[in-house]
Amino acid sequence: MLKRILVTRVVIVYLLVVGLLLYLKNSGMDYFATLDPGRPKIETGYGFINKNGFNMRFSVIIESFGDHHFSEYGVVYVISDESGDLTPTIDNNKFVFRSKPRLGKISDERDKQTLIIQPKMHVYYRAYILLDNGQAVYGEVRYLLS
């Protein structure tokens, strides 16, 4: 009887840990980045896209460069007519910043994009830094509604 109770408790703890890790992974939080304190830290700033899609402006906040070298930084985004949990990655659309990276808030803007945004479209976006080893570090997900 005691063995059965112990096994039940171990299974419950295991399921809670696995559930927590899955939640953190799907919530957009970069949980595993905290295991490497030398990774750069970036936050997603505010964004703007005008109604006809010809002007895009995004900002990022680089909190630290960390110990890793990176090849680019900017914002990744996904456009959808559905709301929900749409998390952009470097496999989606990229808005690569042109300026040299520095600590603090950095903004970049583009005119005459070929992007056409229909009314009531959601633009999900977040900041990213692409490390030289191909891994990406992300900021939190934000969204705009056209």
Side-chain angles (χ1 to χ4, degrees), residues 45-79:
Y46 292 101
F48 169 81
I49 299 177
N50 69 357
K51 299 288 185 202
N52 60 14
F54 289 114
N55 184 275
M56 301 170 67
R57 182 178 356 159
F58 292 104
S59 63
V60 301
I61 302 151
I62 298 179
E63 295 179 351
S64 75
F65 290 120
D67 299 333
H68 297 273
H69 297 284
F70 56 93
S71 56
E72 67 181 37
Y73 75 104
V75 171
V76 290
Y77 61 94
V78 174
I79 301 169

